[in-house]
Amino acid sequence: MSQTPAAEASERDGHHAVLTRPPAAGDTGGSRDRWAAVVLLGLTTFVVVAAEMTPVGLLTPISTGLGASEGTVGLSLAITGLVAAAMAPLTPMLVRGTDRRTAMVVLMLVVAIANALTAVSTSFAVMSAARVLLAVGMGGVWAMAPSLAPRLVAPRSVGVAMTIVFGGVAVASAVGVPAGAYIGALAGWRASFWVLSAVSLLLVVALAVVLPSMSADRAAPRASLTAALGRRAVRYGLGVTALLVTAHFTAYTYMRPTLESLADLDPTVVGTMLLVFGVLGILSNFVIGPRVGRRPTAVAVALATGLALTFGGAPFLVSTVLSAAVLMVLWGFFYGGVSVTTQTGMSRAAPDQAESVNALWAGVFNASIAVGAFSGGRIYDAGGADVTLWTAAALAAGAGALALLGAARARTR
């Protein structure tokens, strides 16, 4: 995740090329910014992430309602992550000749149906089918929304547009997941998914009305993915991303039973803790993002170290509501900067292959969610909250060590 001066020059040229490319069909060409459409794309990322993560705040009642263990129900995140990881890079090929407005409308309709099916699930098998369907829609949205945003605004506004689209992720963690937990506490866990389904349907209508018709872009050649993987810095960056995301989701998927176990928290208080976590994640994104700059490796090491210490110390230090709140503050802040830091490092590693690198990053990110949720479930069921947190700490420490190793190898080339 470190670069030579030549690579830095290439990065500047690459960014310049992106910002000054000729408008494609359906682009504004700088004549008209379509901010309403950009905001709708941000709302789509909000909904799909909220739908993906809502089971985290409802793990216990879903477990009771479906007659399955909490570890088993947590596999719903693993299912979603694995299918989304496969779907994201396939989406451009599957919808190659389809108008992008039509594709987005169909994808959000799939998300709406998936949430409704989750709400009526009577067994883990039915819920698993619903989560597979959700992952198809989610993977498609992730593959398309970020690429459509730059086509809706003038080049000078691309940065703001992308911030809005990716802002849906942070807001989903801060507001969506806690809201789902509160709705679940008040009206039952099924109500949370009915609300998500209704919001998804509203977005289907809004996208059809507001999003302009946009022609399909050509998918990146498969050879470009191979070339990106051939770069050592890219491989190290993917490894760091995999370890950090796996560490987080090993523990985060089972946050509710962990907090109930360590600090004997009431379910409504858990919702507040999730809100604290999300708010600190947003704060971290805005604090760390502008400061990553030319030192993504140093920031990655700092975040990994912070997560390792937070996870490792929690079983010894968390026993009250106050200490649980401190845990959420630290956890939210350290993890909140992971996405922007790893993305920055990956972009610097291969600025001339940004689309391919981002596709690889997204695939690894979603696959790591699945691995974390799956392994966390097995570890939690077998060893409880303490062992789960210590495992997450070891993975985070490994991410920091790998980032340092990658930087050392880059300096000795």
Side-chain angles (χ1 to χ4, degrees):
M1 297 173 71
S2 178
Q3 288 293 299
T4 63
E8 291 173 359
S10 176
E11 176 185 7
R12 290 192 296 271
D13 293 342
H15 284 305
H16 180 72
V18 170
L19 294 177
T20 58
R21 62 172 175 79
D27 288 6
T28 66
S31 60
R32 181 184 177 190
D33 289 340
R34 299 177 181 268
W35 290 112
V38 172
V39 170
L40 283 178
L41 291 178
L43 288 173
T44 64
T45 63
F46 167 82
V47 169
V48 296
V49 173
E52 180 186 17
M53 298 301 169
T54 289
V56 171
L58 298 170
L59 212 57
T60 302
I62 293 175
S63 171
T64 301
L66 299 182
S69 72
E70 292 167 334
T72 298
V73 173
L75 288 176
S76 63
L77 266 74
I79 293 169
T80 308
L82 282 175
V83 177
M87 185 66 186
L90 289 176
T91 296
M93 291 181 285
L94 294 174
V95 299
R96 179 175 297 174
T98 306
D99 181 271
R100 278 1 194 186
R101 175 177 61 191
T102 301
M104 285 296 295
V105 167
V106 171
L107 287 169
M108 286 308 298
L109 182 60
V110 170
V111 171
I113 294 171
N115 283 314
L117 183 58
T118 302
V120 300
S121 295
T122 55
S123 66
F124 181 69
V126 176
M127 184 177 182
S128 296
R131 300 297 286 183
V132 168
L133 193 61
L134 173 66
V136 170
M138 183 183 77
V141 168
W142 268 118
M144 294 184 60
S147 65
L148 295 182
R151 299 176 62 179
L152 295 168
V153 298
R156 66 180 181 280
S157 303
V158 168
V160 176
M162 295 300 288
T163 299
I164 291 172
V165 171
F166 284 109
V169 180
V171 176
S173 298
V175 178
V177 176
Y182 279 122
I183 293 172
L186 294 173
W189 66 269
R190 298 179 189 276
S192 299
F193 292 98
W194 281 122
V195 170
L196 284 167
S197 181
V199 174
S200 299
L201 284 176
L202 289 175
L203 279 174
V204 166
V205 176
L207 287 168
V209 173
V210 176
L211 201 64
S213 177
M214 287 182 282
S215 61
D217 281 342
R218 289 179 300 173
R222 295 178 184 176
S224 180
L225 293 174
T226 303
L229 275 175
R231 298 191 178 191
R232 179 184 295 170
V234 170
R235 296 195 298 272
Y236 274 106
L238 291 174
V240 171
T241 299
L243 287 171
L244 283 175
V245 176
T246 301
H248 169 68
F249 280 95
T250 294
Y252 181 74
T253 309
Y254 306 94
M255 181 189 291
R256 175 167 180 164
T258 293
L259 291 176
E260 291 173 344
S261 171
L262 294 179
D264 193 27
L265 299 185
D266 182 84
T268 57
V269 178
V270 172
T272 302
M273 294 298 173
L274 288 169
L275 179 60
V276 170
F277 175 90
V279 169
L280 265 294
I282 294 176
L283 176 63
S284 174
N285 186 67
F286 283 100
V287 170
I288 293 175
R291 293 168 172 77
V292 173
R294 297 181 180 276
R295 297 179 61 83
T297 298
V299 177
V301 171
L303 295 177
T305 302
L307 285 172
L309 292 174
T310 300
F311 292 144
F316 302 104
L317 302 175
V318 176
S319 59
T320 64
V321 173
L322 179 60
S323 58
V326 172
L327 169 67
M328 291 297 97
V329 167
L330 295 175
W331 189 349
F333 185 82
F334 288 128
Y335 185 72
V338 165
S339 293
V340 66
T341 300
T342 53
Q343 279 186 322
T344 299
M346 296 294 287
S347 296
R348 286 172 56 79
D352 56 326
Q353 295 171 322
E355 288 188 3
S356 295
V357 168
N358 186 67
L360 291 168
W361 181 88
V364 167
F365 198 101
N366 280 287
S368 300
I369 291 174
V371 172
F374 176 82
S375 60
R378 309 283 68 75
I379 295 168
Y380 188 88
D381 282 348
D386 292 1
V387 177
T388 303
L389 288 167
W390 288 329
T391 301
L395 290 167
L402 186 61
L404 287 173
L405 177 61
R409 293 287 297 274
R411 285 194 297 268
T412 58
R413 280 187 303 181

